[in-house]
Amino acid sequence: MESTSAHSHGLVSIRLVRPRDARTLQNELQTNRTWLRPWEATSPRGGVSFDMRLSIRRLLQQYRDGGGVPFVMEYNGEVAGQLNVWGITRGSLESATIGYWVSERFAGRGVTPVSVALATDMCFFEMGLHRMEICIRPENAASLRVVQKLGFRYEGFRRRYIHIDGDWRDHHAFALVREDVPDGVLKRWTEGRVPPDAGAIPQG
């Protein structure tokens, strides 16, 4: 698998998740249950007990198999959440999808947009991927601001797309391809060069 050493910008950094992160991540998830529940993926087959150690083992196995890259997001050295690059498809697609969660106490500090930018740049320029997608529920205003801030292009509506918080939920799909950001997502954003309407959702 390609290099995935820590990447940072300002006080925000992302790094590969480690087995010893399990307790910290479990605590953050439990502390943020009310905050995160509306956006958490669930199973249509019913609940299963959540084991962070097992989850990390599975994520790292997917990483070794080339199917994903599981990151921890940090703010000033503290664990602030997780960002997973998943569904990596090679060959004629060279694409992947990003999903993430951030603790409420770190909301509004730029953790998510910086982490998404860092992860996307790493996937484009270190791993050689061509397309990155993010799918967001219409009700998730904070995440919609992230993709619009970074200039992810709106690509369409996916009806009842992912099982979240106990039911199949609609999502908006956003994406970037490497040609959109020849200097990188982070550089384009921090230099104020994001097209103002890039992530606009058509009305009607």
Side-chain angles (χ1 to χ4, degrees):
M1 201 66 196
E2 294 82 350
S3 166
T4 50
S5 56
H7 294 67
S8 63
H9 175 75
L11 294 176
V12 178
S13 61
I14 59 171
R15 61 168 174 78
L16 197 65
V17 70
R18 300 184 287 242
R20 65 176 176 269
D21 293 318
R23 179 175 294 176
T24 302
L25 289 169
Q26 186 90 41
N27 288 341
E28 288 296 323
L29 285 172
Q30 288 171 344
T31 303
N32 285 268
R33 288 303 300 142
T34 304
W35 165 257
L36 294 172
R37 186 178 286 115
W39 321 115
E40 280 185 345
T42 46
S43 170
R45 296 181 180 85
V48 292
S49 61
F50 186 74
D51 181 336
M52 180 55 77
R53 284 183 175 80
L54 179 60
S55 173
I56 289 174
R57 280 202 298 273
R58 287 174 172 164
L59 288 169
L60 289 173
Q61 185 59 55
Q62 288 172 7
Y63 169 65
R64 288 189 288 271
D65 293 341
V69 187
F71 290 106
V72 164
M73 300 189 290
E74 293 183 328
Y75 182 82
N76 200 20
E78 277 192 88
V79 170
Q82 281 182 277
L83 182 152
N84 290 319
V85 176
W86 58 276
I88 293 177
T89 305
R90 293 295 193 174
S92 58
L93 281 178
E94 296 292 343
S95 70
T97 298
I98 280 180
Y100 51 79
W101 62 265
V102 65
S103 296
E104 186 173 15
R105 64 197 174 101
F106 293 104
R109 301 193 192 186
V111 173
T112 306
V114 171
S115 297
V116 169
L118 289 169
T120 303
D121 285 346
M122 188 216 75
C123 287
F124 283 171
F125 303 112
E126 294 179 32
M127 296 177 61
L129 293 180
H130 178 250
R131 181 179 182 275
M132 186 65 75
E133 179 173 281
I134 300 179
C135 294
I136 300 168
R137 288 183 61 184
E139 303 87 352
N140 194 341
S143 278
L144 290 174
R145 282 195 297 273
V146 168
V147 290
Q148 289 161 354
K149 197 177 286 186
L150 296 178
F152 275 71
R153 182 178 49 255
Y154 179 73
E155 292 206 337
F157 182 73
R158 296 187 176 178
R159 185 174 182 275
R160 295 177 65 77
Y161 177 55
I162 303 175
H163 202 273
I164 288 178
D165 192 26
D167 202 359
W168 295 103
R169 309 291 183 178
D170 297 338
H171 281 69
H172 290 304
F174 300 83
L176 279 175
V177 295
R178 202 162 50 202
E179 292 88 344
D180 292 328
V181 284
D183 299 322
V185 182
L186 184 67
K187 186 174 174 64
R188 185 178 73 161
W189 173 43
T190 56
E191 292 183 353
R193 294 188 284 110
V194 174
D197 59 346
I201 299 169
Q203 300 302 308

